[in-house]
Amino acid sequence: MHLAIRPAGKTAVHGRSASLPREHSHPILTHLDDCVRTLRSWSAGAAGHASGIALLDAVLASLGDLLALPQAVAALQEAAAFDEILDRFLVLADAYGTFQSALIMLKQSVAELQISTRRGDSMMVTTLFHAHRRAEKELCRLAATMRHATRCTLAVSRTLDTTDNEVIGIIAEVAAATAEASEAIFLESAAMSPELVPAIVQTSNKWLARLSVRPAAKKAVPEKAMVTLERLQKLEECINGLETGSEKVFRRLLQSRVSLLNIHTPF
């Protein structure tokens, strides 16, 4: 992504519409370019959802700076396929709203698992485990939604290449990078504690044994129960961090969509 600024309203070679051109590099565009590259590099390795959320927040903050530029506003008012880009940001915002709900479910199940583990309540642990798994499945479903969103956004980008509007192309690229990173974040969140939550549980006794809780309401071995509780506490802290970060991203996405709507339908 090569980003620059030229005066809006001029038509370039090969019939380009008003856009952010390749000469006269603008620091906001350079920063956005760097942020997107860093985010995509993270998505390729996907190591640590907390860092992914922070990088995504930085990209969206830089996008907000871009949408405040008069040249960008002028270019976007002439852009084709604007509605498709608005739809992409609506899908992203909806996904993060659902992500926050799934995190609340996870946090609640972890808190209740801590209580039930302390009590050695095997029946309750089994019930809570299934609730925990439902929240994880929701996160996997969200990841699949983001995979589809990435494909759709890239398809829009290919269309935009023919109309050759650089600004709308840049925003489409941000949307695609956001969806790609979000897929990785959601998948990592669904597998936050593989040591604690086994991928496949064939019987409730296996799950109870994993938590060091014995059937028939027998008390867990204190030492092993403490290890489990420590893991649950770490998982809870991780979820808290994700909640804070995802709230920021959700607000950024809403702000971006509002900015785009205001540009599209000026008063």
Side-chain angles (χ1 to χ4, degrees):
M1 181 169 63
H2 302 285
L3 309 176
I5 282 285
R6 79 164 78 124
K10 292 188 178 180
T11 303
V13 195
H14 307 305
R16 288 179 184 241
S17 60
S19 57
L20 295 181
R22 304 187 184 283
E23 66 267 20
H24 304 125
S25 181
H26 193 286
I28 287 178
L29 296 174
T30 302
H31 180 62
L32 178 57
D33 187 18
D34 291 341
C35 288
V36 170
R37 288 178 186 275
T38 304
L39 180 62
R40 282 195 160 144
S41 177
W42 176 88
S43 299
H49 36 60
S51 56
I53 285 277
L55 293 172
L56 185 49
D57 181 60
V59 166
L60 295 172
S62 186
L63 175 62
D65 293 336
L66 170 66
L67 295 177
L69 290 176
Q71 297 98 320
V73 171
L76 286 170
Q77 287 172 345
E78 300 179 10
F82 204 103
D83 288 340
E84 288 89 339
I85 296 301
L86 280 173
D87 287 345
R88 294 302 96 209
F89 278 90
L90 179 59
V91 169
L92 291 168
D94 283 347
Y96 273 86
T98 305
F99 182 46
Q100 288 179 301
S101 298
L103 289 176
I104 290 171
M105 288 172 58
L106 278 175
K107 189 164 78 169
Q108 182 178 355
S109 68
V110 168
E112 292 175 346
L113 276 168
Q114 287 174 305
I115 294 171
S116 297
T117 301
R118 289 190 186 97
R119 293 175 177 172
D121 189 340
S122 60
M123 293 301 294
M124 184 57 71
V125 166
T126 304
T127 301
L128 292 171
F129 166 69
H130 290 303
H132 194 91
R133 290 290 291 156
R134 283 195 296 272
E136 288 181 332
K137 287 179 181 177
E138 179 65 16
L139 291 173
C140 290
R141 187 193 66 78
L142 275 178
T145 299
M146 290 297 95
R147 192 177 309 120
H148 178 70
T150 301
R151 288 197 295 266
C152 290
T153 308
L154 290 174
V156 171
S157 296
R158 285 190 288 271
T159 303
L160 294 174
D161 287 341
T162 62
T163 61
D164 212 15
N165 186 296
E166 290 172 317
V167 181
I168 200 74
I170 290 164
I171 294 173
E173 188 169 356
V174 169
T178 298
E180 186 180 25
S182 298
E183 178 189 354
I185 289 167
F186 297 160
L187 284 175
E188 281 209 349
S189 299
M192 280 188 286
S193 185
E195 293 180 358
L196 178 65
V197 182
I200 300 174
V201 179
Q202 296 178 346
T203 66
S204 61
N205 281 347
K206 286 188 177 181
W207 166 241
L208 297 175
R210 189 72 174 226
L211 284 180
S212 302
V213 178
R214 300 292 182 263
K218 290 184 180 179
K219 293 292 182 179
V221 178
E223 294 80 4
K224 292 184 178 180
M226 286 302 298
V227 171
T228 297
L229 290 169
E230 287 174 5
R231 290 176 179 173
L232 285 166
Q233 180 62 39
K234 288 179 181 178
L235 181 56
E236 188 174 37
E237 291 170 0
C238 187
I239 294 171
N240 286 336
L242 275 173
E243 273 191 306
T244 302
S246 65
E247 173 66 22
K248 290 180 182 178
V249 169
F250 179 62
R251 290 182 181 279
R252 296 276 193 203
L253 288 167
L254 290 180
Q255 289 167 359
S256 296
R257 192 167 190 276
V258 168
S259 296
L260 288 168
L261 280 170
N262 288 340
I263 291 169
H264 193 41
T265 55
F267 293 102

